[in-house]
Amino acid sequence: MKTIDVLATGKLMPLVMEQLEANFTLHHLPAEGRDAFLAEVGPRIRGVAMGGHAKVDGAFMGKLPKLEIVANFGVGYDSVDAKWAGEHKIVVTNTPDVLTEEVADTALGLLLMTARDLSRSERYLRAGLWEKQGPFPLSTSTLRDKTVGILALGRIGKAIATRCEAFGLKIVYHGRSPQKDVPYRYYASLVEMAKDVDILISVAPGGPDTFHIVDAEVLRALGPAGILVNIGRGSVVDEGALISALQNKVIHSAGLDVFEHEPHVPSELMAMDHVVLLPHVGSGSVHTRRLMGQLMVDNLTSWFAGKGPLTPVSETPWPR
């Protein structure tokens, strides 16, 4: 495979880089002079290894006439125009399953931190206020007798639901269509579900179909005691509407691991002490990132060994 040219679009973990360099002729997309670089190297590239925040759209892939496969690092692949790739018989892969449990754990941790004011209480202790001012104020929200609405009940959504059930929470969900193999109530309308739940957990992927679907109307429906947790993609939530809802007590609080314009986090969110903010760490353990990186490499090596992709996305025309 050493004669096969593969392009890395950004920084990749050492485990991935070492294997790609050992197995392929690896090229690195430069920060500047990309047009000249692609004009020279592009005609030889047969595979792309996604790294960093590069957008691999139709215009980009069109400069790689021999491109066969785009291997995405992560389960979400909204940085790749998978529809365009599918129409041009280019395979796109992602890294599902290996990160499911880690992200679900993070979602529950984020929910607990938000519902029980755990982040704020730790800051209270570290500031010496427990000793100076007495006990931290009682949290005004709880998980007792609450209903959780899950937006996008895929692999990760189901893993979150299992954990929520263990906490004694009632589960309902919204998605494109009802699923026959789950015992939870389905809502065809996200607004109607938001009206009936206490906690809304979004696991929805990014892209035009989900852009800002958690908007001002959904937040009003969630109500003044409602909690929003977003562990999916920042673009799913209208960040401006969320800031307004939090400032005006339209909802109680929010726990966010993802943001609309990462790594930028609006100063308005940073200023609110009752909001829990994490720097997109859902799958961020060494254990899980190694598994994700290995699956990314395995997709490339399997493809170029003539065995097909291991985890093609739904837009990929496979099997052919």
Side-chain angles (χ1 to χ4, degrees):
M1 295 184 189
K2 196 63 178 172
T3 59
I4 295 170
D5 291 82
V6 169
L7 174 64
T9 62
K11 186 178 180 180
L12 296 167
M13 61 193 305
L15 174 146
V16 174
M17 295 296 289
E18 290 167 6
Q19 294 186 68
L20 293 180
E21 288 172 348
N23 292 324
F24 306 103
T25 298
L26 186 63
H27 304 270
H28 301 273
L29 186 66
E32 298 180 0
R34 289 186 175 184
D35 288 341
F37 172 83
L38 291 174
E40 178 186 352
V41 177
R44 304 200 304 270
I45 298 298
R46 294 174 60 190
V48 167
M50 291 286 291
H53 299 283
K55 290 282 186 183
V56 177
D57 55 16
F60 183 89
M61 288 183 278
K63 296 176 182 178
L64 312 175
K66 292 185 179 179
L67 184 61
E68 301 171 31
I69 181 171
V70 176
N72 183 69
F73 183 84
V75 66
Y77 52 95
D78 46 304
S79 293
V80 185
D81 190 339
K83 184 175 183 293
W84 190 97
E87 291 169 350
H88 292 79
K89 297 185 178 180
I90 297 168
V91 168
V92 178
T93 64
N94 64 344
T95 60
D97 297 321
V98 293
L99 53 68
T100 296
E101 304 303 325
E102 204 79 80
V103 176
D105 288 349
T106 304
L108 263 292
L110 191 53
L111 174 58
L112 285 167
M113 291 166 70
T114 306
R116 289 297 316 281
D117 280 340
L118 298 183
S119 292
R120 183 158 51 169
S121 66
E122 188 199 21
R123 290 193 293 272
Y124 185 89
L125 180 152
R126 288 181 179 276
L129 298 179
W130 187 13
E131 187 174 4
K132 294 177 182 177
Q133 299 182 12
F136 182 74
L138 301 178
S139 58
T140 57
S141 60
T142 178
L143 296 184
R144 306 285 67 79
D145 302 318
K146 301 299 183 182
T147 298
V148 172
I150 297 177
L151 171 56
L153 196 70
R155 295 177 179 91
I156 296 172
K158 288 174 182 174
I160 291 171
T162 299
R163 286 160 173 75
C164 286
E165 284 186 297
F167 277 77
L169 297 164
K170 181 182 176 182
I171 312 298
V172 299
Y173 73 102
H174 168 74
R176 286 176 291 186
S177 57
Q179 301 184 36
K180 295 180 181 179
D181 61 339
V182 297
Y184 317 123
R185 178 182 174 183
Y186 171 74
Y187 282 80
S189 164
L190 178 55
V191 172
E192 292 304 312
M193 184 178 79
K195 288 179 181 177
D196 289 351
V197 303
D198 306 287
I199 300 155
L200 175 61
I201 300 179
S202 175
V203 201
D209 292 340
T210 61
F211 182 74
H212 283 187
I213 57 173
V214 178
D215 57 11
E217 183 181 11
V218 170
L219 295 170
R220 283 195 300 271
L222 187 57
I227 294 172
L228 171 70
V229 171
N230 190 7
I231 195 79
R233 278 291 186 267
S235 60
V236 173
V237 177
D238 182 336
E239 217 162 68
L242 175 60
I243 290 168
S244 177
L246 289 164
Q247 289 175 333
N248 295 293
K249 299 183 179 180
V250 173
I251 66 171
H252 181 271
S253 57
L256 309 171
D257 184 47
V258 290
F259 304 89
E260 195 164 350
H261 303 290
E262 296 180 5
H264 172 72
V265 178
S267 58
E268 295 90 342
L269 287 175
M270 299 279 277
M272 288 186 271
D273 201 35
H274 65 301
V275 178
V276 179
L277 309 172
L278 299 180
H280 202 152
V281 295
S283 63
S285 72
V286 172
H287 171 84
T288 295
R289 290 291 172 86
R290 282 182 174 273
L291 292 174
M292 291 166 62
Q294 190 59 58
L295 182 52
M296 179 186 188
V297 171
D298 290 347
N299 267 295
L300 288 165
T301 54
S302 178
W303 173 259
F304 288 116
K307 299 177 182 179
L310 299 177
T311 51
V313 303
S314 60
E315 293 89 344
T316 283
W318 194 267
R320 291 176 179 159

